[in-house]
Amino acid sequence: MIGKVSRVSAAVLLAVALLAAEPRSTTPQSGALALTADQVVARVIAARRTTGFRVRAKLIRSTPGSDAAKDTRQLLIKGRREGEATKTLYQVLWPARFAGEAILVEDSGDHHVKGYLYQKGTATPLTNQAMESEFFGSDLRIEDVIEDFWYWPSRKSAGEETINKRHCMIVELRPGPDTVTEYSMVKAWVAPDISLGMKIQFYGRDGKLIKTATTDRVVKEGKTWLAATLKIQPSGSRSQTVLEGTKSERDLQLPATDFTVDAIKSFGKQPR
């Protein structure tokens, strides 16, 4: 049985587009678009909309100076849209001891997520508690990859900065009173010209910074800009997680059967 999670959220692409360079403060650019926080976020959401997608990525968690502490996993991420309903599947391809492990997230269009975790041949509901779990042993939480913060009701403009020569608008997003989340605020640096987040900071319930997500490289696929390499740096920790995309396809028509428990169980018995 698939458990339902009462929260304002949506299943979207895992990769948030960000840049690793340290931002430098700048005065508002005269040529910048006069956009509200809602308009900036709407651009990000619209740019992510696709009938279906398939991404191969490498997830690496490491501690600087310690090769033995490096954990690498190859992932397959794919999604399907039917009307306003979406399904997103994250599955481990390699190494063998984790192969087949999966997370399925479903949104019927009302931004109330349901889904399940698949481990050791068993599917368990994606509960609120499970949302706080590590995403395949990384510095990300399952909640982070769902990226429901783009749909939080409170959005506020918080200035402008330039990151790696791209003009960004800063937006503070806060959850509603009924939203189930570990965060009190998410701050996003968004480049309006490419409808892409360039930096994301996550703040805990106590208001302290928990982690910062940035990226080294942004690529253009068709008319859409995507992140090629995502870095997650927890505050006060030497560990770091890197999500590196190796192949990406958009606007696909993936069959609904790809997102069933039976299809996930048959991992390794069908072409990927």
Side-chain angles (χ1 to χ4, degrees):
M1 180 176 180
I2 295 177
K4 192 168 185 178
V5 182
S6 296
R7 51 193 283 130
V8 180
S9 53
V12 293
L13 286 176
L14 171 63
V16 185
L18 318 169
L19 288 174
E22 285 295 322
R24 62 180 186 274
S25 296
T26 182
T27 55
Q29 299 179 4
S30 58
L33 294 175
L35 299 174
T36 66
D38 286 344
Q39 290 172 328
V40 170
V41 172
R43 286 192 173 203
V44 174
I45 293 174
R48 292 163 177 266
R49 191 178 180 94
T50 177
T51 56
F53 67 90
R54 183 164 47 228
V55 175
R56 284 179 180 262
K58 187 182 295 183
L59 185 68
I60 306 168
R61 187 183 193 182
S62 61
T63 301
S66 176
D67 292 338
K70 185 175 290 186
D71 181 7
T72 302
R73 306 187 196 196
Q74 187 76 31
L75 305 181
L76 173 64
I77 308 165
K78 55 185 178 180
R80 167 187 165 88
R81 174 179 290 274
E82 186 173 351
E84 294 304 313
T86 60
K87 294 183 180 181
T88 306
L89 175 66
Y90 311 91
Q91 190 161 34
V92 179
L93 301 178
W94 181 89
R97 68 182 184 277
F98 298 122
E101 289 187 359
I103 301 169
L104 180 73
V105 180
E106 298 183 62
D107 182 352
S108 61
D110 58 2
H111 304 319
H112 287 75
V113 164
K114 61 181 181 180
Y116 58 81
L117 309 178
Y118 184 79
Q119 293 178 310
K120 299 179 180 179
T122 302
T124 57
L126 187 60
T127 62
N128 291 331
Q129 185 175 5
M131 288 288 188
E132 301 174 18
S133 303
E134 290 181 348
F135 176 74
F136 297 134
S138 71
D139 291 304
L140 288 163
R141 294 173 178 161
I142 294 176
E143 175 184 357
D144 300 339
V145 302
I146 294 175
E147 298 179 5
D148 65 330
F149 54 82
W150 294 115
Y151 296 86
W152 286 353
S154 177
R155 302 161 182 166
K156 176 184 175 182
S157 295
E160 303 177 38
E161 287 188 359
T162 295
I163 300 180
N164 203 25
K165 300 182 180 180
R166 288 196 180 277
H167 172 252
C168 296
M169 295 186 64
I170 306 169
V171 179
E172 293 180 354
L173 305 106
R174 298 180 186 273
D178 299 326
T179 304
V180 181
T181 178
E182 288 296 297
Y183 303 120
S184 62
M185 181 181 71
V186 169
K187 185 180 289 188
W189 281 250
V190 179
D193 61 324
I194 57 175
S195 303
L196 204 59
M198 306 296 283
K199 176 180 176 182
I200 307 290
Q201 290 183 335
F202 299 84
Y203 292 82
R205 293 172 178 172
D206 59 1
K208 295 181 179 179
L209 178 64
I210 293 179
K211 67 170 73 76
T212 300
T214 56
T215 195
D216 287 340
R217 191 163 54 97
V218 173
V219 297
K220 190 175 184 181
E221 185 175 300
K223 297 181 179 180
T224 304
W225 289 88
L226 302 172
T229 305
L230 179 72
K231 290 185 178 180
I232 300 90
Q233 183 66 57
S235 298
S237 173
R238 295 183 65 231
S239 70
Q240 176 180 267
T241 294
V242 176
L243 181 68
E244 180 180 327
T246 57
K247 184 178 180 181
S248 176
E249 301 169 274
R250 284 174 57 86
D251 301 324
L252 305 178
Q253 296 290 341
L254 300 180
T257 52
D258 279 9
F259 301 85
T260 63
V261 175
D262 287 342
I264 294 172
K265 285 182 177 180
S266 66
F267 173 85
K269 302 177 183 179
Q270 55 185 335
R272 296 188 299 277

